[in-house]
Amino acid sequence: MTDEQQEQLKAVLAKGNHHLTQARLKTFELLVHPEPQSIREILSKNNGDIDRVTIYRNIDLFEKLGIVHRLYVGWKFKLELSDQFIPHHHHLSCLQCQKIIDIEGEQSIDEFIKKVSAQFNFLPQQHHFEVSGYCHDCQAKEGST
Amino acid sequence: MTDEQQEQLKAVLAKGNHHLTQARLKTFELLVHPEPQSIREILSKNNGDIDRVTIYRNIDLFEKLGIVHRLYVGWKFKLELSDQFIPHHHHLSCLQCQKIIDIEGEQSIDEFIKKVSAQFNFLPQQHHFEVSGYCHDCQAKEGST
DNA sequence: TATGTATTGCAATTATGTTGCAATTTGATT
DNA sequence: AATCAAATTGCAACATAATTGCAATACATA
């Protein structure tokens, strides 16, 4: 996490008389690149680090403060840091090694959203776009067919 | 679910000596429009209808047979019916009433995927695109700000 | 450093997801 | 239509994930 992000985080927390603690820094970092394995690992056991309960509670707090929002996809949800912390972007996600490649926002996507929103008289607030497939490295190995 | 879908489903199941049962029809329909509330409700309790366990098991079976696939978004996953059953499309999802509006696939999205994939030497397999916001009806009511 | 508030961790609870096994349903065959 | 083997389901028990209450700790500031 960048110093700038940390300052922003501190500022938003301060508004509600909340402290920027180690646990909250950790929680924030989890949300920057929420990778299935690492997060499950942290949430599954009481690692010597920070208690699972604290992570859950800080996620809730972040949501109240608008630091993250919850986006339903199917009947699960994903948590997404608000644009103020992570400029909006998209992901290429490798099905094999689970690596995530960040890609910049694209005008064509924004235009698409504008078009269909007008069509359905819909007021867009957030969007999520993710491409799964095989990264450069994993295409070389077997199993990427 | 359409008759055509039902026939397809039956055919895929038959290949593996599986039967098209009431429970499997129900499971399939859940996946057509997987809305958070209704699915949670069905999976949470043993409603007089079909047992939770059966739903879970049929989802697993569907996955093995390629009827649905699992797509990770953040540290949760979503289940998506394969294109053969539901032509690939995207969603406008209302944050207020949770209504889902289907939108057709768009060339501009496909082009975008092609472009960034080339850029990162990435082999795309699936993608997920979802816009959250407020539908026509809910914009009229309060709370949609 | 003393004080009131925010934060955390632990233990207990609830909700979600999985497994083993016996009972039921299916459709294929006689 | 009765029988049979295989597939499917439901129940109960279990495992894991998420939430809540409460007491202990850390924090900001006076």
Side-chain angles (χ1 to χ4, degrees):
Chain A
M1 117 185 271
T2 65
D3 287 352
E4 195 196 352
Q5 284 174 336
Q6 189 160 328
E7 281 312 306
Q8 284 183 308
L9 185 54
K10 196 170 179 179
V12 174
L13 286 166
K15 274 188 193 162
N17 274 0
H18 298 292
H19 307 150
L20 178 53
T21 63
Q22 282 310 105
R24 284 178 184 159
L25 285 172
K26 178 97 182 182
T27 305
F28 185 91
E29 288 188 356
L30 280 186
L31 297 168
V32 175
H33 265 307
E35 296 179 40
Q37 317 100 319
S38 49
I39 297 196
R40 302 230 140 269
E41 200 178 337
I42 286 162
L43 292 181
S44 64
K45 56 168 183 270
N46 287 0
N47 40 41
D49 214 350
I50 287 147
D51 197 272
R52 322 180 298 111
V53 180
T54 301
I55 304 271
Y56 283 118
R57 278 198 276 231
N58 282 332
I59 288 174
D60 288 347
L61 177 66
F62 283 6
E63 208 187 350
K64 277 199 204 87
L65 297 176
I67 294 165
V68 297
H69 50 256
R70 208 170 277 243
L71 191 64
Y72 274 92
V73 278
W75 78 81
K76 311 268 176 171
F77 60 86
K78 84 161 289 206
L79 292 169
E80 207 163 56
L81 282 167
S82 75
D83 294 5
Q84 125 182 63
F85 290 97
I86 299 272
H88 192 76
H89 65 284
H90 307 293
H91 291 142
L92 301 180
S93 136
C94 183
L95 292 164
Q96 186 102 9
C97 70
Q98 315 268 352
K99 184 193 308 165
I100 290 174
I101 301 168
D102 292 331
I103 53 184
E104 298 302 311
E106 246 305 283
Q107 233 188 1
S108 59
I109 303 247
D110 294 337
E111 276 163 18
F112 175 57
I113 293 173
K114 203 177 285 181
K115 197 180 79 179
V116 297
S117 294
Q119 187 181 342
F120 290 99
N121 198 350
F122 190 83
L123 180 63
Q125 298 287 102
Q126 310 150 8
H127 68 273
H128 174 78
F129 181 51
E130 181 148 355
V131 184
S132 307
Y134 297 100
C135 71
H136 177 57
D137 296 342
C138 290
Q139 284 173 57
K141 302 166 201 160
E142 94 288 29
S144 57
T145 47
Chain B
M1 119 186 268
T2 66
D3 287 352
E4 194 196 351
Q5 284 174 336
Q6 189 160 327
E7 281 313 306
Q8 284 182 309
L9 184 55
K10 196 170 179 177
V12 173
L13 286 166
K15 274 187 194 163
N17 275 0
H18 299 290
H19 307 149
L20 178 54
T21 62
Q22 283 310 106
R24 284 176 186 160
L25 286 172
K26 179 98 183 182
T27 305
F28 186 90
E29 290 189 354
L30 279 187
L31 297 168
V32 175
H33 266 308
E35 297 178 40
Q37 318 100 320
S38 49
I39 297 195
R40 302 226 143 270
E41 201 179 337
I42 286 162
L43 292 182
S44 64
K45 55 166 183 271
N46 286 358
N47 41 42
D49 214 350
I50 287 147
D51 197 272
R52 324 182 293 114
V53 180
T54 300
I55 304 272
Y56 282 117
R57 279 198 276 232
N58 283 331
I59 288 174
D60 288 347
L61 177 67
F62 284 6
E63 208 187 350
K64 278 200 203 85
L65 297 175
I67 294 166
V68 297
H69 51 256
R70 207 169 278 242
L71 190 65
Y72 274 92
V73 279
W75 78 82
K76 311 269 175 171
F77 60 88
K78 82 163 288 201
L79 293 168
E80 206 163 56
L81 282 167
S82 76
D83 293 5
Q84 126 181 64
F85 290 97
I86 299 270
H88 191 77
H89 64 284
H90 307 291
H91 292 142
L92 301 180
S93 140
C94 183
L95 292 164
Q96 184 103 10
C97 70
Q98 316 267 351
K99 183 192 307 164
I100 290 174
I101 301 168
D102 291 332
I103 54 184
E104 297 304 310
E106 246 305 284
Q107 234 188 1
S108 57
I109 303 250
D110 295 337
E111 277 162 19
F112 175 56
I113 292 173
K114 204 177 286 179
K115 197 180 78 177
V116 296
S117 294
Q119 186 181 343
F120 291 98
N121 198 350
F122 190 83
L123 181 62
Q125 297 288 103
Q126 309 150 8
H127 68 273
H128 173 78
F129 181 52
E130 181 147 356
V131 184
S132 308
Y134 296 100
C135 72
H136 177 58
D137 295 342
C138 290
Q139 284 172 57
K141 302 167 200 157
E142 94 287 30
S144 57
T145 47

